[in-house]
Amino acid sequence: MMDNKFPPRKVPSFCSFRYGLSILLHVCNVLIMSQRMCVSLTMVVMVNRTDPHGLPNTSTEELLDNIKNPVYNWSPEIQGIIFSSIFYGSVIFQIPAGYLSGIYSVKKMVGSTLFVSSLINLFIPLAAQVGETLVIVCRVAQGVAQGTVAAAQQVIWIKWAPPLERGRLTSISISGFMLGPFITLIATGFICKSLGWPMVFYIMGACGCTLSLLWFVLFYDEPKDHPCMSISEKEYITSFHVQQVSSSEYSLPIKDMLKSLPLWAICMCIFALFWSSTIILFYTPTFINSKLHVNINENGLLSALPHLFSWIFGLLAGQMSDFLLSRNIFSILNIRKLFIMLGLLLPALFCVCLLYLSSSFYGTIIFLILACATGSFTMVAVIVNTLEIAPRYCGFLNGFILVIGTIAGIISSTLTGIILNQDPESSWFKIFFLIAGINVIGVIFYLIFAKAEIQDWAKEKQHTRL
């Protein structure tokens, strides 16, 4: 929670190390999502059918040859499992990763697991030659590594983010999750056509390995330990966090957490967000291919546009949130509720519009962009909200809510594959209406039960220090 006493002198944010750190995390998240997204567009050319009836993809046959682009006979159900398998590993390790990030070095956790994820990415083309089972195993292992990166990095802002800058610093870092798909989808179509789809995995994996080495050089767990940061910035950052001391032993009030309705309000929103974003993330190329019948390069460009605008909206959301907070226009709780409403109700509205008001090519693309981009407003609320209700357990709670989101991703991506295979005529109606319904439920629950102050079970006086 924000203290009313602030240092009289504020260190400029421009060219500061805390903003440099947010950009470094931004790039890490770009690569994490690039590796996760590799399979989304390449799936269009990796299989000889993405149509539920097994009809050949003529644009793929005309543009790509089987030497550069091996083709496999994977059904829509198998494709759905491959899409969702990366979440299986995340479910296994995100909560332990969040817990451990409050005890051990975040620098080592993020750097090593980013390297592991990148290394696995290099082996996926070889795994595809062996069979879909090995691809699924590789994706599960990648999920373990990427889940650790996602859960552990949120603890960084306990020590590095002044209260009035949490929204923008968080939005800069997590917006990498939105920019990653845009870069991947833009580059994948070109790489598939010119070099073959295996090169997509090789390039993304090599970039990740390089970045992980840079991470070990550039990041420090404690602001006071950074050798290149000015003394004034160190004092400015650490002055907000004098009571947030790390401890190797601390108890978790699990029962109180499970009974906490404000925590479950956050979980409901993250479930709704991951449900919709996972479908958009993995099935946008399939949707565009089935509705607009474009070639692989055009598919990559059109599939990338929603993620570009999602990135822009995510950055704007952080700026808007901190602006409203600094000017005392709304209370902290009302700001969080505002962004949850924008981030869940607007995508629900645009998903319905996508079904009934998108008869033209441009109408389809515009509503698809808006359905994806407006969801970014949710992230700036849910991630910061965990820090507000329980700063001492921020790492563990972020791991917990990410598991909830990951479960939503597993269910939604697998269920979407099943629906597309069984009912091709009305499948997209069912998929988008389900997104809208889940989003509305999440908003209602959050509006009723959300809080923005430290909960009793998370206060320092009741437990040993984190």
Side-chain angles (χ1 to χ4, degrees):
M1 286 292 293
M2 183 173 59
D3 196 300
N4 291 327
K5 295 181 179 180
F6 296 100
R9 183 166 59 88
K10 180 179 179 181
V11 177
S13 59
F14 183 70
C15 293
S16 66
F17 273 90
R18 62 188 183 279
Y19 278 81
L21 173 59
S22 68
I23 293 173
L24 179 61
L25 280 170
H26 179 91
V27 178
C28 288
N29 293 334
V30 166
L31 278 170
I32 284 294
M33 287 306 298
S34 297
Q35 293 171 9
R36 184 174 296 187
M37 277 293 297
C38 279
V39 74
S40 181
L41 188 58
T42 57
M43 188 65 74
V44 177
V45 295
M46 287 174 70
V47 300
N48 63 2
R49 62 186 185 98
T50 55
D51 180 84
H53 294 293
L55 298 176
N57 187 326
T58 55
S59 62
T60 301
E61 294 178 348
E62 292 171 0
L63 296 176
L64 306 171
D65 61 88
N66 289 341
I67 297 177
K68 290 190 300 183
N69 297 279
V71 178
Y72 306 103
N73 293 312
W74 295 342
S75 67
E77 294 98 325
I78 292 297
Q79 295 174 47
I81 294 173
I82 291 175
F83 288 153
S84 62
S85 59
I86 198 165
F87 295 115
Y88 302 158
S90 298
V91 167
I92 296 171
F93 209 70
Q94 276 180 329
I95 291 180
Y99 176 81
L100 294 173
S101 66
I103 301 175
Y104 298 110
S105 169
V106 177
K107 176 178 182 175
K108 294 178 181 179
M109 290 182 66
V110 172
S112 58
T113 50
L114 176 61
F115 181 81
V116 170
S117 174
S118 304
L119 198 63
I120 293 172
N121 213 67
L122 296 172
F123 286 99
I124 287 182
L126 179 61
Q129 295 181 18
V130 177
E132 64 267 24
T133 301
L134 188 56
V135 174
I136 293 171
V137 171
C138 286
R139 296 270 291 175
V140 170
Q142 246 187 334
V144 172
Q146 293 185 3
T148 302
V149 175
Q153 67 176 268
Q154 303 306 329
V155 179
I156 291 172
W157 300 123
I158 296 178
K159 298 177 180 178
W160 280 84
L164 292 179
E165 298 178 2
R166 283 172 183 166
R168 70 191 73 173
L169 288 170
T170 302
S171 68
I172 291 172
S173 61
I174 65 176
S175 63
F177 289 118
M178 295 85 166
L179 185 61
F182 170 75
I183 294 175
T184 305
L185 290 168
I186 286 291
T188 297
F190 172 77
I191 296 173
C192 286
K193 183 178 180 180
S194 58
L195 302 174
W197 66 258
M199 285 302 297
V200 175
F201 294 91
Y202 298 145
I203 292 172
M204 299 303 175
C207 289
C209 289
T210 302
L211 182 63
S212 65
L213 299 179
L214 289 175
W215 171 265
F216 282 109
V217 175
L218 299 176
F219 175 69
Y220 285 76
D221 287 308
E222 298 284 348
K224 61 183 178 63
D225 295 334
H226 204 294
C228 301
M229 186 187 299
S230 66
I231 295 177
S232 59
E233 185 176 5
K234 289 180 182 180
E235 292 177 347
Y236 175 68
I237 295 174
T238 56
S239 63
F240 295 104
H241 309 296
V242 291
Q243 294 182 348
Q244 292 174 346
V245 182
S246 179
S247 173
S248 59
E249 295 182 1
Y250 69 104
S251 59
L252 290 171
I254 299 295
K255 290 183 179 180
D256 291 327
M257 289 178 178
L258 294 177
K259 295 176 182 178
S260 175
L261 290 176
L263 176 58
W264 283 110
I266 297 173
C267 292
M268 289 290 291
C269 291
I270 208 76
F271 184 93
L273 175 66
F274 273 60
W275 183 284
S276 58
S277 62
T278 301
I279 293 174
I280 293 174
L281 187 69
F282 289 133
Y283 284 96
T284 293
T286 303
F287 176 76
I288 290 176
N289 188 56
S290 64
K291 296 297 182 181
L292 303 179
H293 307 290
V294 295
N295 62 44
I296 186 67
N297 285 336
E298 293 171 339
N299 194 325
L301 175 61
L302 295 175
S303 299
L305 286 177
H307 301 290
L308 173 63
F309 283 89
S310 182
W311 174 67
I312 295 172
F313 278 44
L315 292 175
L316 291 175
Q319 296 294 329
M320 291 167 57
S321 174
D322 283 352
F323 173 80
L324 294 173
L325 183 59
S326 63
R327 300 302 173 91
N328 292 318
I329 297 175
F330 298 112
S331 67
I332 296 177
L333 180 58
N334 286 335
I335 291 173
R336 304 303 174 227
K337 288 182 176 181
L338 172 63
F339 280 90
I340 289 295
M341 291 175 65
L342 292 174
L344 292 181
L345 292 183
L346 289 179
L349 174 63
F350 292 128
C351 281
V352 175
C353 292
L354 194 59
L355 296 174
Y356 293 103
L357 301 177
S358 59
S359 56
S360 67
F361 176 89
Y362 292 107
T364 300
I365 297 303
I366 289 172
F367 286 123
L368 189 60
I369 288 173
L370 292 174
C372 179
T374 52
S376 300
F377 289 121
T378 307
M379 287 301 293
V380 73
V382 295
I383 296 298
V384 178
N385 200 189
T386 58
L387 195 152
E388 291 165 345
I389 67 171
R392 297 178 57 252
Y393 305 114
C394 178
F396 177 81
L397 292 182
N398 275 307
F400 178 71
I401 67 170
L402 286 174
V403 166
I404 299 296
T406 300
I407 292 172
I410 293 173
I411 297 172
S412 65
S413 57
T414 305
L415 183 61
T416 299
I418 295 173
I419 293 174
L420 286 172
N421 186 64
Q422 293 181 347
D423 192 3
E425 297 299 327
S426 61
S427 57
W428 293 110
F429 282 85
K430 295 179 180 179
I431 291 166
F432 288 130
F433 267 114
L434 194 56
I435 288 175
I438 290 174
N439 280 14
V440 170
I441 293 172
V443 169
I444 294 173
F445 199 91
Y446 191 86
L447 292 179
I448 296 173
F449 297 111
K451 300 292 181 182
E453 62 271 359
I454 297 180
Q455 300 300 290
D456 291 338
W457 49 266
K459 291 180 179 177
E460 183 76 17
K461 62 182 180 180
Q462 294 188 3
H463 305 285
T464 57
R465 293 182 300 171
L466 172 61

